[in-house]
Amino acid sequence: MKITLSVILLIMVGHLSVNAQTTDDVTQNINKVKRDNMYIYAEATMKDLNEAYSGARAILEMKVGDWVREKYPSEGIELCIVKAKDHLVQLETRRGDFYRAFVYVKKSDILPVADKSEVTVLEVTPVTHPSKPVASQAIIVEESTSAIVEKAPVLELTPDEKQMKLVKSFYDVEPYIKGLKSRGILKEYGKYATMPANADCYLFVYDKQGNISALLKKSGIAQYNLNTLKEDNVKNYKNCGAIWFQIK
């Protein structure tokens, strides 16, 4: 009986040691990444692991966009973010009852974007009209098929507005707002009921499942959908909630 109990205790201690070592290894890897300038990283701590990963990935996308905009302004930010998603590494640990999600990507894995074997974008001179907004047109050449596809002219979005479009879930909104605050460009934000009547702002409209149904830009009393680039209104989205925010 003593021998059996000893064996069981040894197994339990060994199991606990393995788990502790695994946690220590992950923490050491996270610290190494943070100290190394060759990586871009982000993290989030939440009760639900999926929400923690979702928040960390949203923050990473914003940090990648900021880094590309500062260091390589001639590169396409959205394409760099796509590359970052393809190469990111995910790690997780626990902080008490919470999950800590840590994601990172190697800077060299997201540049250069304009690889000859990928998609080549040829910019066409914008067409202007005195009474209409400036529009741009792009021709995308797929080298694998040599097919030419013309995109319809679209309104130009600011870099910040392009970043907003990457927010796809209600659970990504809070990390995004925190990202704006950390960059010092968040002015005000709140629930739809507190939205200023005539002030300019943006709105994330979300449904009961937490999906972002629309991204609206409010200019005075007019509202525009930044996904469709057409006039829209938050009242068109029944049974949905909304978060408004302003940037400097």
Side-chain angles (χ1 to χ4, degrees), residues 167-195:
V167 178
K168 302 297 184 182
S169 167
F170 170 78
Y171 302 105
D172 296 336
V173 174
E174 183 178 0
Y176 175 77
I177 295 295
K178 287 182 177 179
L180 295 178
K181 188 175 181 179
S182 66
R183 292 166 56 196
I185 64 172
L186 178 66
K187 188 176 179 181
E188 296 287 346
Y189 75 99
K191 296 181 179 179
Y192 177 69
T194 65
M195 184 178 69

Side-chain angles (χ1 to χ4, degrees), residues 58-100:
I59 295 172
L60 181 68
E61 290 173 14
M62 288 185 288
K63 293 180 73 171
V64 167
D66 290 342
W67 177 74
V68 174
R69 188 179 298 112
E70 179 183 355
K71 301 294 185 180
Y72 301 91
S74 62
E75 294 287 358
I77 293 177
E78 292 186 353
L79 290 178
C80 288
I81 290 174
V82 169
K83 275 186 169 284
K85 289 180 179 179
D86 291 339
H87 292 88
L88 69 83
V89 179
Q90 300 186 154
L91 299 174
E92 66 183 74
T93 59
R94 297 294 296 267
R95 284 177 172 170
D97 295 332
F98 291 81
Y99 287 97
R100 177 194 185 190

Side-chain angles (χ1 to χ4, degrees), residues 38-51:
M38 66 190 298
Y39 298 104
I40 300 175
Y41 65 87
E43 61 183 303
T45 303
M46 297 185 183
K47 276 279 189 180
D48 181 82
L49 179 59
N50 290 331
E51 291 181 11

Side-chain angles (χ1 to χ4, degrees), residues 39 46 56-57 88 147 155 159 187 202 212 226 229:
Y39 298 104
M46 297 185 183
R57 286 192 292 267
L88 69 83
L155 294 176
K187 188 176 179 181
Y202 296 94
I212 299 298
L226 296 188
L229 299 178

Side-chain angles (χ1 to χ4, degrees), residues 112-162:
V113 171
D115 192 307
K116 296 299 182 182
S117 64
E118 297 179 337
V119 178
T120 304
V121 179
L122 305 177
E123 288 295 334
V124 179
T125 304
V127 179
T128 60
H129 188 280
S131 61
K132 295 181 180 179
V134 175
S136 64
Q137 191 176 40
I139 299 177
I140 297 178
V141 181
E142 295 279 356
E143 295 193 4
S144 58
T145 61
S146 299
I148 297 179
V149 181
E150 276 199 36
K151 279 179 145 186
V154 296
L155 294 176
E156 289 287 351
L157 299 179
T158 67
D160 284 317
E161 289 170 347
K162 290 178 180 178

